[in-house]
Amino acid sequence: MKPFTYLSPKTVEEAIAFHGQHSETAKYIGGGTDVIVKVKEGWMEPDFLISLKKIKEMSELHKNEATGELSIGAMVTHATLEKSLMIQNEYPIVYDAVSNIGSLQVRNVGTIGGNLINAVPSADGAIPLIALDGVAQLHGADGERSSDVKDLFLAPYKTILKPGEILKKITIPPQAPRTGSAYTKFGRRAAMELPLIGIGVLLTVDEDLETCTRARIVLGVAAPTPMRAVDAEKYLIGKKINENVLIEAGKIAADESKVRDSVRGKAWHRKEMIRVHVKRMGLNCLKKIQKIN
Amino acid sequence: MSNFNVVGKRIPKLDAAQKAMGRAAYIQDIKLPQMLYGKILYSKYANANIVKIDTSKAKALAGVHAVLTGEDVPEKMKMGFIKDNPPIKKGRVSCFRDEVAAVAAISPEIAKKALDLIEIEYEELEGIFDPEKAMEKDSPLVHEHLKSNVLKMPWDVHYGDVEKAEKESAFVVEDRFTTTWVTHCCMGTSGAVALFDASENLTIYTNTQIPSLAQKDFLESLKAMGLKNKRVRVIKPIIGGGFGSKLDTYAYEHVAILLAYACRKPVKMVFDRVEEFKATSTRQPTVTYIKQGCDKNGKLTFRDMRMVLDNGGHTSWGATTPSVMLMPISSLYSVKNVKYSAKCVYTNNTYSQAMRGYGNPQATFAIESSMDMLAEKAGIDRIKFRKINQNHAGEETPQGLKITSCGLAECIDAVEKELHFNDNNEKGVGTGLASLIHVGGGARIYGSDGCGAILKMDDYGKVDIFTGGTDMGQGLDNITAQIVAEELGLSAEDINVVHSDTDICPWDVGAHASRSTFVAGNAALGAAKKVKKKIQDFASKLFETPAEEIELKDKMVFVTGNPEKNMPIGKLLRKAHFSPGGTMLMAEHFYDPDNQNMGKELKGNMSMTYSFGAHGAKVKVDEETGKVEVLEYVAAHDVGRAINPLLLEGQVYGGVVMGLGYALTEEVTVKNGEIMNANFRDYKLFTAKDAVKIKAPVIETDDKDGPFGAKGIGEPGCVPTAPAIANAIYNAVGVRIKDLPITPEKVLAALKEKTVKK
Ligand SMILES: Cc1cc2nc3c(=O)[nH]c(=O)nc-3n(C[C@H](O)[C@H](O)[C@H](O)COP(=O)(O)OP(=O)(O)OC[C@H]3O[C@@H](n4cnc5c(N)ncnc54)[C@H](O)[C@@H]3O)c2cc1C
């Protein structure tokens, strides 16, 4: 492993300044569960690792009760999200996703921001944030800007972030009433498992508790970046949600996906898993909605 | 008989605290003055000619002390039991893990950099990756000088008359099963530190399960290097897992020796995890054709099996696993007529080694899957079918195995009691059973199956026992201590077990074949008995009583029926040392069991005794995804006697979890000879969260030859696991998966095919 200098700025501005000084040879580090692996393997050889851990505001998890907006600091760990009752109750899709990342040890240090910026097609954390219409708040040398989480990803390991730019937080707009959401990943193991396919579904229904007014179907490992199955979403709008409708949505989503054969799994099986789990997660959403309302 | 003080007690591992506190010194922790770091460069191709190697840039790098290629390896320095494999290849590579160069440098980083500077020109050749294709007449050859890809091995045998028995059978089933590569996944990666003293004697610290045989291999290497009449001292650090992986010497050890000699400095070679996956050996992949039949009452009439093993690019002990496969094939359940042939076939894949079960898991997967199929065809309940055919004490099997104690029936009963086989399960839920036989009293693979022990007592009633046996985490230290303590009336903590150094410890064949408790245990017991006799003789004079009336208990020596006549053992030992004409209380014992080498006819009693077991699984199959969940697992074993039930359960739990991985998730993915998943992300070793609750009923049959009645139990835990799961899946959803691992893809594909057929 190539030795590096570890810097611990206390503010976003300081971090960006450090990065500016060492631009080519610096890397941000959150929990380090991706970065350190890469440094150890020699895939990444930074001279400076700029830790974002000491920047207080980046570790805040907060819901504005007046506006209903949720703000998740990029440095919030998976464990923090997993243990939050607010997340468990109001954003079950986030809980479903983060509570099955890696292992307890990985979740204790791995952050939601690192999960997004690492930008692998299998990032569990990305799926719920896309389903919830999350917005990424970015801060760089040129100032602040924002982007929908779904538009963050360009390719595996590649995001729209400019060199030195920091993901500060993700904001989630207020949820419509009668919304249910759920995520599952399909893999061979119960822990330490990147998904063979990840499936997140979010449904909002009308007052009849059946008719779909809004749908999000988001897939991991189904394409080079996390993707929304927009045709399947459209299909659901205005339909009374039941098993058959969800089976059809699952088929459409599977057809939309760009799954491939790989040494980890076969495309045909991944498609099957999309079909089955869109249905299952959809039913799960419906159950959650009907339970509360 | 079972009135024991130390044997049978759940004594935690004696080295548990130092391991838990991080104080145990593994090979990674060893650091010697002036030590250099070695690294190996591996082939870029599965099959290629090496046209040119240029090491000049690597040699010029500051901090590099030596760069070696195949040209620097003495002609006679070869590994493997047929000595076909030099530690660095020259001219031709036959698999991706072939070593092509090695360096020693002042830091691992510089060593790695030097590897990158070695320039090699290859001429890539077409590879052969399918053993069945490699057997065809016009197949290209992996080693041209051998004229065939099929190894010359003796595995072709016929006991009784299979053709006649088949004609007379009422029911016959026939099928093909396959297993794939899996690997040991020891938490401690491989490594060695080699150094020469000024007289050119070698000391090598290495992770090995075979210190005495490794010493011989290293001596041969020295001889090949022109170093005759030198000494080799093998020191074992604490080993982080063996499972058979350390039953041979490897290229990295011989390369460390070459580098240490070239540099005249200690050289350390430690694998990282990727290297551990790519450059250590696997379990043999097999293709098995099985046919077996029974009469109308369900009595087995014959078994006919043919196996093809992927031998990979070179021959290692993996090629001898057919000898152990023969054991379940000829002797799991009573069957008189047995035919068996096995062929090991060179390919350009990785090559295999011993791995827990030594061929038995592959053979048992086919046998026990087929047993269920035959039971179904004959219309007999699968449990009843097994009981009809179960082994019995006193039986001699067609192979000549003499079964002296057999608790198979009790094992099946125990599984039946814990797991209700014929309950009406909910949809998608099913149960499966599979049994096992394994060597439990040594295994005569080599000329000797022996182990030595030297026992000495100090002035304070404590014992040092120097054993040839190896503790690699399985707990031989405890077993040895408990056996010795029991015999000498001491407690386990009084016994210091030393097994780490060939300069100090006597000879042993190695920690393999589940033999250590039985063989090393008997060696320790023999030595303890001799010392006990000396103590009794000494005390007999002291108390003026016949020696037979002297008892040792609770660290005391006393006279039977007259307990006032007593003395602490420590005091007695001091008396022995300090009296005129004093004596030492020590003894040595070499135990070599009275078992037989199979010989050319493949007949003979391999082991003094055999361990049996039955595993039962209850699974739930998700019919929409193909995923299998193990709901309950029962693994019952006839262990003769549980010397330490805690460690025994540990062996069973660990074995079962390993077996479940074998059944469901684990495979080394090999694509055109290249390993594609050399990491724990993609190699699906079971995690703690995947592990299921396992019940492990213990059947004690008190074997007449075992130390306190014990038989070996190191391997059995992972032997019948895969067929138990496969049988449960069939019972649950009616599909039979014949290829390991049983992935969701395979199950779902089979379910879909079944629906189409309907
Ligand atoms: C054993 C193991 C198991 C795992 N299992 C899973 C799993 O099941 N599912 C899953 O999705 N992932 C898994 N991961 C991957 C990893 O843990 C997650 O992606 C984690 O969320 C990464 O967060 P981190 O804080 O550790 O990121 P880091 O490693 O610190 O950073 C990751 C990348 O993001 C950049 N970065 C980090 N924070 C910021 C920021 N605020 N602004 C800009 N750039 C930033 C870094 O420069 C780096 O490029 C696993 C990893 C390991 C080691």
Side-chain angles (χ1 to χ4, degrees), chain A residues 27-38 44 49 52 58 74-76 78 97 100-103 106-107 109-120 122-126 161 165-169 185 191-195, chain B residues 681:
Chain A
K27 261 280 170 197
Y28 291 126
I29 177 168
T33 57
D34 283 314
V35 167
I36 295 299
V37 175
K38 289 180 192 167
M44 192 191 263
L49 281 180
L52 305 174
M58 284 185 65
M75 287 297 291
V76 170
H78 302 306
N100 282 307
I101 285 179
S103 63
V106 170
R107 298 197 293 277
V109 289
T111 66
I112 191 75
N115 193 250
L116 291 180
I117 304 306
N118 192 48
V120 290
S122 57
D124 281 310
L161 265 67
E165 213 167 13
I166 287 178
L167 168 66
K168 246 166 67 176
K169 62 179 178 182
K185 65 170 157 188
M192 303 300 262
E193 184 76 340
L194 292 178
Chain B
R681 179 187 60 220

Side-chain angles (χ1 to χ4, degrees), chain B residues 231-351:
Chain B
R231 293 169 55 89
V232 169
R233 178 180 186 187
V234 178
I235 301 178
K236 281 176 290 179
I238 287 185
I239 299 175
F243 312 111
S245 63
K246 294 157 178 71
L247 273 183
D248 203 350
T249 55
Y250 280 96
Y252 71 85
E253 294 168 304
H254 296 274
V255 169
I257 293 170
L258 286 169
L259 288 170
Y261 191 66
C263 304
R264 298 298 201 277
K265 282 186 189 335
V267 172
K268 179 173 187 170
M269 192 82 86
V270 174
F271 277 8
D272 61 25
R273 184 56 66 186
V274 174
E275 223 172 353
E276 186 76 13
F277 271 109
K278 289 190 172 175
T280 66
S281 293
T282 54
R283 181 179 279 155
Q284 304 62 37
T286 53
V287 182
T288 306
Y289 295 89
I290 179 170
K291 197 193 234 184
Q292 53 181 352
C294 65
D295 65 18
K296 63 180 194 318
N297 300 319
K299 192 91 196 70
L300 282 172
T301 45
F302 78 98
R303 187 179 283 157
D304 187 351
M305 286 176 76
R306 183 163 70 79
M307 303 189 88
V308 177
L309 280 74
D310 188 331
N311 197 55
H314 300 283
T315 298
S316 181
W317 285 112
T320 67
T321 50
S323 66
V324 175
M325 295 175 177
L326 177 56
M327 172 182 53
I329 289 170
S330 72
S331 308
L332 177 57
Y333 305 113
S334 298
V335 50
K336 288 216 171 60
N337 305 293
V338 178
K339 206 170 169 180
Y340 166 58
S341 75
K343 290 200 160 61
C344 302
V345 188
Y346 280 115
T347 64
N348 295 111
N349 292 317
T350 185
Y351 48 101

